[in-house]
Amino acid sequence: MRSHYLTVAGYLLVLAAGVTLQTVAVKRPDKVPSLGRVLSHVMRTRTGRVGVCVAWAWVGLHFFAK
Amino acid sequence: VTDAAQGTPDDPVITQSAVGSERQAPLAQTALTGLRQPIVLVLLLIAFFTSISGRVLDGILMLTVALLLALDAGKTRLRSQAGLSATAAVASGRAQAGRSGQDSRGVRRLLIGLAWLAVGVLYAVLVGTFQRYSWPVTACVISLGCLMVAIGWQGPLRQRPALTGQPLRRAWLWGVVVCAGGLWELSSLLQQPHLTTDSYAHPTISALTDPLLASHPGRSLVLGIWLWLGWFLAGR
């Protein structure tokens, strides 16, 4: 039971870190990039674009496909 | 639909300009050069872990894209080593991008957005009626995934300003968040009694979302979020 909550807390901590970082990025765009800007940067090249698109497709496959 | 194209070294405009040199490069050398790309290695790792988790179809798809990407990246690198210049093609692509960017504004853009929203909601509601891991939902998700990869292969839909200065130097912060999430998920996966058997003590994200995805509204909601995320990425 304790391990279950600890594991869930770990996921929530990562989520909270992402939300905090995005909030800081929105308030101070000159200091920290938002997730959207980082993704745009990564997706400048075909390799980056396809990599991110595949990661997105994989999420759908993982949760729904055989 | 393209608002803008970006003249990156691996874009189609450049690809067409250097077809001759690609034919001369040996396949093995091209593939090995492409395998040095970090994203290719990441995809190969995903393919491996997905396959040993019992999702062989996912693994095959990831492997296929990784190999295609390795070949493409290898060709690009070999072309750049050969010193081919594609400045004119890039300039042409950018000029065309500027012209088309002015067309898709205002009311027309709003209507197109609303039409896509309606299609997305319809997709989420309809596909959500199917049970998870059934053939209909598998076909729908794979089709959309392949379409998205094809769109990504073509080029960016919009031109975005490049990340520079302090924001660029602090982009690693996002890398830390993503890696931390990935490693936490991996540690949960490895602590399961078996890779294909869920653990209550160490649940993976998919195990945690199982109750939500068991119902039609839950599946439609998650599909809607997935589609919205895809829309967000397609616009990058």
Side-chain angles (χ1 to χ4, degrees):
Chain A
M1 183 66 86
R2 197 173 166 183
S3 298
H4 175 84
Y5 288 120
L6 189 69
T7 308
V8 174
Y11 291 124
L12 291 177
L13 191 67
V14 172
L15 184 67
V19 171
T20 306
L21 200 55
Q22 181 69 12
T23 308
V24 172
V26 169
K27 286 187 177 175
R28 301 292 305 270
D30 55 324
K31 299 281 181 192
V32 179
S34 66
L35 181 61
R37 288 175 71 197
V38 172
L39 284 169
S40 294
H41 186 76
V42 171
M43 293 172 81
R44 282 174 311 137
T45 63
R46 176 179 286 160
T47 316
R49 270 196 313 273
V50 173
V52 172
C53 290
V54 167
W56 173 83
W58 179 82
V59 170
L61 289 169
H62 183 71
F63 284 103
F64 292 100
K66 265 183 186 290
Chain B
V1 187
T2 304
D3 289 340
Q6 195 170 339
T8 51
D10 53 358
D11 274 347
V13 282
I14 302 174
T15 307
Q16 288 165 7
S17 71
V19 173
S21 69
E22 286 171 17
R23 284 178 186 154
Q24 291 166 6
L27 189 67
Q29 189 192 348
T30 307
L32 283 174
T33 311
L35 282 174
R36 291 178 202 156
Q37 290 283 327
I39 196 79
V40 174
L41 290 173
V42 170
L43 287 177
L44 287 174
L45 281 174
I46 292 174
F48 175 72
F49 280 109
T50 307
S51 298
I52 62 169
S53 302
R55 297 171 182 273
V56 181
L57 186 62
D58 295 16
I60 290 170
L61 284 169
M62 294 297 124
L63 184 67
T64 307
V65 176
L67 292 177
L68 286 172
L69 208 53
L71 280 172
D72 184 74
K75 283 177 184 176
T76 304
R77 182 166 289 189
L78 289 174
R79 271 202 310 274
S80 65
Q81 283 171 358
L84 287 170
S85 170
T87 313
V90 172
S92 164
R94 281 181 179 161
Q96 195 179 359
R99 282 194 299 275
S100 61
Q102 294 171 349
D103 295 336
S104 53
R105 301 204 182 233
V107 180
R108 186 167 164 259
R109 196 165 187 168
L110 181 69
L111 287 173
I112 291 172
L114 285 173
W116 278 113
L117 180 68
V119 170
V121 170
L122 194 66
Y123 178 95
V125 171
L126 278 179
V127 178
T129 59
F130 301 122
Q131 287 297 317
R132 291 172 78 192
Y133 313 127
S134 62
W135 279 114
V137 77
T138 300
C140 292
V141 170
I142 285 180
S143 306
L144 198 59
C146 292
L147 181 67
M148 182 71 168
V149 173
I151 290 171
W153 205 284
Q154 295 299 314
L157 296 181
R158 297 191 181 87
Q159 197 166 25
R160 303 268 182 184
L163 205 57
T164 53
Q166 209 163 23
L168 178 61
R169 287 194 295 277
R170 291 190 175 162
W172 62 269
L173 289 167
W174 282 107
V176 170
V177 172
V178 171
C179 285
L183 288 173
W184 195 252
E185 165 85 358
L186 185 63
S187 82
S188 296
L189 182 75
L190 295 176
Q191 289 179 80
Q192 290 182 162
H194 189 268
L195 285 174
T196 54
T197 310
D198 291 341
S199 157
Y200 180 77
H202 305 285
T204 56
I205 293 172
S206 22
L208 287 171
T209 51
D210 278 347
L212 176 68
L213 294 169
S215 67
H216 175 203
R219 285 192 296 274
S220 293
L221 176 71
V222 173
L223 277 166
I225 294 170
W226 182 63
L227 288 176
W228 173 81
L229 191 62
W231 179 261
F232 173 76
L233 291 174
R236 295 291 105 196

